[in-house]
């Protein structure tokens, strides 16, 4: 499904750190056990195109019948290394 959404992806049967691709991997905090995966983005640039990429993936998963419940999170990696420190602090504050 990730490939169909136009992104490079892979399944990961362990807790890998392949941040250059999207991943679908197990997460023991999700339920019901054995029926859930965590979808993790690649490291995305802080740019409008990144929002489009996330939207394509979420839409493809939704259209395929995947859903969310109380245990579901939203795991997206953003590269903020080129942002000024003040902007990074504001982003962190916003999440907090």
């Amino acid at each position: 499904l990730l490939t169909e959404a136009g992104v490079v992806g892979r399944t990961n049967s362990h807790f890998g750190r392949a941040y250059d691709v999207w991943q679908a991997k197990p997460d023991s905090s999700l339920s019901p056990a054995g029926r859930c995966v965590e979808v993790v983005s690649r490291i995305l640039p802080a740019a409008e195109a990144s929002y489009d990429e996330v939207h394509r993936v979420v839409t493809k998963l939704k259209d395929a019948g995947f859903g969310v419940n109380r245990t579901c999170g939203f795991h997206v990696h953003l590269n903020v290394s080129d942002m000024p420190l003040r902007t990074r602090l504001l982003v962190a504050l916003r999440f907090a």
Side-chain angles (χ1 to χ4, degrees):
L1 289 174
L2 295 172
T3 303
E4 291 176 19
V7 301
V8 177
R10 73 174 194 180
T11 58
N12 193 344
S13 61
H14 64 285
F15 296 96
R17 297 187 179 272
Y19 296 123
D20 58 335
V21 296
W22 284 75
Q23 298 178 70
K25 58 186 184 177
D27 182 332
S28 62
S29 70
L30 302 177
S31 66
R35 296 195 49 199
C36 299
V37 296
E38 176 184 28
V39 176
V40 181
S41 80
R42 67 182 181 90
I43 296 176
L44 298 163
E48 190 67 32
S50 296
Y51 294 103
D52 295 337
E53 187 171 321
V54 169
H55 186 262
R56 284 195 321 270
V57 170
V58 170
T59 300
K60 179 56 79 172
L61 292 170
K62 180 181 175 203
D63 290 350
F66 285 83
V68 298
N69 64 27
R70 292 177 31 140
T71 67
C72 181
F74 192 64
H75 196 149
V76 175
H77 293 108
L78 290 175
N79 180 357
V80 296
S81 62
D82 60 344
M83 286 184 176
L85 178 59
R86 177 170 171 72
T87 303
R88 289 188 221 178
L89 291 171
L90 291 171
V91 169
L93 180 62
R94 179 72 160 195
F95 280 110

